[in-house]
Structure formats: structure tokens, C-alpha cells
Amino acid sequence: MAKDLLNSLNLDQRAAVEATEGPVLILAGAGSGKTRVLTFRAAYLIREKQIDPERILLLTFTNQAGKEMQERISKLVEGSELPWAGTFHSFCAKVLRREGGALGIEPDYVIYDGNDQEMAMKQAVEKLKLSVKEFKPRLILNAVSAAKNELVGPLEYPQYVKGAWYERVAELYLAYQKILKEAGAVDFDDLLMETVRLWRKEPQVLARYQDKYKYVLVDEYQDTNQAQYVLTKMLAGRWKNLACVGDFSQSVYMWRGADFR
């Protein structure tokens, strides 16, 4: 059966699929079948290694990519349950819905989109009696997003910045977070940062997720930022069965903190 499953792969792809234990980094160019390797790897774990699909996690950068991976896997493991596949943000959203109470995040929290964030930041600027022309909400949000992607919260932020403008940004960051909290909301960057903060604060919660997901597979790894890197490293900390595929020449998210290193 394994032979049938792997027949359509070349030698390098087969080697990547069959190296199931321990960390694996798969670097390859565009159109070389990197994502295909991940889907075959998941199918191989289910069919040949008899791994419960619930113990496999596939992390992608778009929900569409996660859906397509599941569709591909379903054709390779007909009749079997499928592993969860989706974005870092959707995975973290699930974690916080279930476990966020430890941080004061209610299960029915709201996720603010870009427009909601701008309105909240405008409210923060006005609350501090600052000029919206001088402190444009979108510019402030970019600075706050960069901080969150580096896992720097509002209380730590002041120690990393210098200059009058950034000192004001620090005040606005704190005010913005208070506005979100009062509204029972988080933004997209909070999903990652708060999940890492939760796992650091509640190691027993992290241990449950580490135990559950014995195999972690990450697509487009070159586009991970610091928060995603730390989250992935924490999640794979017990079993260390982490498989990442990527191509540093295709990194397209440097503007939001992605670092192929």
C-alpha cells in the first residue's frame, strides 16, 4: 500500500514523506511539489503509520490552502477521518475560544477586522486628546502590529522604543488594548500573541496541546513571523515531529514581520 501511495513521487519527495520522526525542513523551489509532499506525508502517517488524524496538525497561510490540503488528503485516505488544516490564526482562535478564560478572554470574543481596528485606534487617539492628523490610526496600528508580531505586549513596549512619537504610540497601544478588552474583542495579531502568552502562563494547557498534536506540518514556512515561529516551536516541543516546507526566495510577507531565517 505504501508503495502505491508513493509511486507518483520522485526520490527526494519520497524521502521527505517517509522521514516521519523528528524535525524535517524541506527547502525547494516554486512548482517543485512542496505542498504535495506535506499532503502525502499526512496521508502516509494515517495509512502506513496508523496515526490518528486528530494527532496531526497542518498549518497554512490561507484558509483556502488548508481546505485544498484536506481535499487532497481525503483522496489519498478514502474513508478515513481528516487531520485539522488551516491558518495559524484560525488555530489560535480555536485555542482561545476554549482556553482564553485564563487570560480573561471570554469564549464569545469578537475578532476585529481592519475597519474595526481603525475605529478603535481613532477612539484611543481621541481619548488621549491627540491629533488624528498627527497620529493617523492606520500608522499607529502598523507599529502596534509589528510589536505584536514580535510578541511585545503593551506593558513591555515602552522599554523598546525611543523618541516622542513612539512614546505616544506606546500610550496609544495601551489605550487601544483597553478599548478592545472593554468590547470583548481581539484583533488578528492578538490571536497569535495571546495564544503564546496563554501557553507561557499556563504550561499545563500547552502540555495538553503538545500531547495531542504528535505531528505538526507547516506550509510556506518562509513566511512565518516571530510569533508564528515561537508558537510552532512551543507546540512541537514534546514530540519534535515538526515538518516545515518552504522557499526563502518566495518570501512575500516581510512587510508584516515574516523572517525566513
Side-chain angles (χ1 to χ4, degrees), residues 96-210:
L96 292 176
R97 295 268 183 224
R98 184 173 299 172
E99 317 281 358
L103 300 178
I105 299 173
E106 297 297 327
D108 60 347
Y109 70 83
V110 178
I111 302 173
Y112 272 10
D113 63 15
N115 290 333
D116 296 326
Q117 289 176 259
E118 286 204 47
M119 288 176 63
M121 185 58 78
K122 184 173 183 288
Q123 188 180 340
V125 172
E126 292 170 346
K127 191 173 184 179
L128 295 182
K129 296 181 170 55
L130 298 172
S131 165
V132 177
K133 289 185 178 180
E134 185 178 357
F135 296 94
K136 294 181 173 63
R138 179 44 54 189
L139 283 179
I140 306 299
L141 284 168
N142 288 342
V144 168
S145 177
K148 290 181 177 182
N149 286 334
E150 291 294 323
L151 299 175
V152 177
L155 298 181
E156 298 83 32
Y157 188 73
Q159 64 185 290
Y160 292 103
V161 298
K162 291 181 181 179
W165 193 82
Y166 279 105
E167 287 170 4
R168 286 297 194 186
V169 170
E171 295 173 10
L172 289 165
Y173 185 1
L174 186 60
Y176 170 75
Q177 290 303 115
K178 287 180 179 177
I179 289 168
L180 262 60
K181 186 172 180 61
E182 289 168 4
V186 301
D187 63 25
F188 280 102
D189 295 316
D190 283 328
L191 294 172
L192 302 178
M193 186 175 73
E194 293 298 281
T195 299
V196 171
R197 187 162 76 92
L198 168 69
W199 285 351
R200 286 173 171 170
K201 181 175 182 286
E202 305 287 341
Q204 75 281 3
V205 175
L206 169 61
R208 287 206 306 273
Y209 285 89
Q210 287 177 328

Side-chain angles (χ1 to χ4, degrees), residues 12 15 20 22 30 55 95 115 121 150 155 173 196 203-204 214 219 229 232 239 245 247 259:
D12 289 335
T20 58
R55 305 202 69 189
V95 173
N115 290 333
M121 185 58 78
E150 291 294 323
L155 298 181
Y173 185 1
V196 171
Q204 75 281 3
K214 189 172 182 180
D219 197 17
Y229 166 74
T232 305
W239 303 104
V245 302
D247 173 10
D259 185 347

Side-chain angles (χ1 to χ4, degrees), residues 8-10 12-14 16-17 26-41 69 72 219-220 244-247 250:
S8 62
L9 303 179
N10 63 37
D12 289 335
Q13 290 172 335
R14 287 185 64 155
V17 167
I26 303 161
L27 298 175
S32 58
K34 295 187 300 296
T35 302
R36 189 162 180 257
V37 164
L38 276 196
T39 57
F40 271 77
R41 187 181 176 89
M69 289 176 80
R72 291 189 194 183
D219 197 17
E220 305 293 357
C244 300
V245 302
D247 173 10
Q250 293 185 67

Side-chain angles (χ1 to χ4, degrees), residues 33-72:
K34 295 187 300 296
T35 302
R36 189 162 180 257
V37 164
L38 276 196
T39 57
F40 271 77
R41 187 181 176 89
Y44 183 79
L45 286 168
I46 296 167
R47 275 178 51 172
E48 306 308 320
K49 296 290 186 176
Q50 302 298 305
I51 301 299
D52 185 338
E54 289 191 356
R55 305 202 69 189
I56 302 169
L57 178 69
L58 293 105
L59 294 170
T60 68
F61 276 81
T62 67
N63 287 315
Q64 182 61 31
K67 183 180 177 183
E68 288 174 0
M69 289 176 80
Q70 281 196 317
E71 289 172 353
R72 291 189 194 183

